[in-house]
Amino acid sequence: MKRALSVSELLSQVKETFEFREEWQDAFGSPETVGVWFIWGNSGNGKSSFVMQLCKELCKYGKVLYNSLEEGDSLTMQNSLKLHGMMKVNRRLNITSESITVLSKRLEKRRSPEFVVIDSFQYAQMSYRQYIKFKEKHKNKLIIFISHADGKSPSGRSAKSVMYDAALKIWVEGYKAFSKGRFIGSTGTYTIWDKGAEKYWGNQ
């Protein structure tokens, strides 16, 4: 049985965090560099653009692996990479399209990427039990799940459970990303595309 920690022992632990700046700090504060993040939103609201911008930001802190289960190496993926200038992080961003089993084996290797994006949770076809097993196996990684939405909730029971479990929950709507999790900056909001956000929220 694992020994229980005292309050002082727990508080003395030093956690590694992202030292985000400017709009990233305003939206998400300084979240821990490991754990689970969950991003969801309806199609056409800027979710894919936000994920690319996030990947570029994370590349400042380490290597990112993007598991593109939905789009693979399709033309739409190529266009998205070009649109967001991802060649600037060419050496720190790798893209694959593989099952969770194969991905898990990859993450076990030495010098594997610190951060992994799984797009999408629905295409990964994971049950909540499988998610817990995967998360526990890779505690030393930051795992980011992208999810479809059903209204304003993640699509599917398992996805909803993962959302509740995630440390950082990010809802995307009208070209803005909203922090709904345990890490929130001064505004809790990140603007993905100024003109799109102005057009959408100006009519609210």
Side-chain angles (χ1 to χ4, degrees):
M1 181 181 294
K2 187 177 180 180
R3 187 177 71 84
L5 299 175
S6 68
V7 173
S8 62
E9 286 175 326
L10 181 58
L11 292 178
S12 67
Q13 292 181 356
V14 178
K15 305 294 185 181
E16 188 172 353
T17 61
F18 289 109
E19 296 307 315
F20 286 151
R21 297 181 179 180
E22 300 176 342
E23 65 266 33
W24 292 99
Q25 172 66 221
D26 292 341
F28 310 112
S30 300
E32 199 171 351
T33 58
V34 297
V36 176
W37 295 3
F38 190 89
I39 302 168
W40 80 107
N42 290 297
S43 179
N45 279 266
K47 184 174 59 182
S48 295
S49 291
F50 172 71
V51 173
M52 284 295 167
Q53 291 174 28
L54 176 60
C55 284
K56 184 180 282 188
E57 179 67 19
L58 292 179
C59 282
K60 295 177 181 178
Y61 302 90
K63 291 184 179 179
V64 178
L65 178 65
Y66 192 109
N67 192 15
S68 178
L69 293 171
E70 287 200 29
E71 297 186 10
D73 58 356
S74 66
L75 180 59
T76 55
M77 173 56 74
Q78 291 181 1
N79 289 339
S80 183
L81 292 170
K82 291 176 183 177
L83 177 64
H84 295 94
M86 302 306 282
M87 275 298 295
K88 292 181 180 179
V89 292
N90 179 51
R91 293 189 177 183
R92 289 208 162 192
L93 176 65
N94 290 319
I95 300 163
T96 186
S97 181
E98 57 198 20
S99 70
I100 295 300
T101 300
V102 175
L103 174 63
S104 185
K105 291 179 180 178
R106 182 190 293 273
L107 295 178
E108 289 177 334
K109 294 180 179 179
R110 290 184 61 193
R111 298 182 181 177
S112 60
E114 294 91 338
F115 318 125
V116 57
V117 177
I118 299 174
D119 188 5
S120 64
F121 182 80
Q122 285 73 23
Y123 268 66
Q125 299 182 34
M126 298 176 75
S127 66
Y128 186 63
R129 181 176 294 180
Q130 289 171 327
Y131 155 75
I132 291 295
K133 185 177 180 180
F134 181 79
K135 179 188 80 164
E136 292 298 314
K137 191 173 185 178
H138 303 292
K139 285 183 176 181
N140 62 330
K141 305 290 185 183
L142 173 63
I143 305 166
I144 303 172
F145 288 99
I146 316 302
S147 173
H148 300 167
D150 183 5
K152 290 202 171 186
S153 297
S155 180
R157 186 168 59 183
S158 294
K160 289 179 183 177
S161 296
V162 174
M163 182 268 290
Y164 285 123
D165 184 64
L168 183 54
K169 318 169 206 303
I170 302 173
W171 163 249
V172 176
E173 180 182 358
Y175 298 100
K176 287 189 176 185
F178 301 89
S179 179
K180 302 288 186 180
R182 301 162 199 163
F183 299 99
I184 302 177
S186 59
T187 65
T189 305
Y190 175 90
T191 300
I192 302 162
W193 180 38
D194 289 332
K195 289 185 178 179
E198 287 175 12
K199 183 177 181 181
Y200 183 92
W201 295 103
N203 297 325
Q204 300 296 307

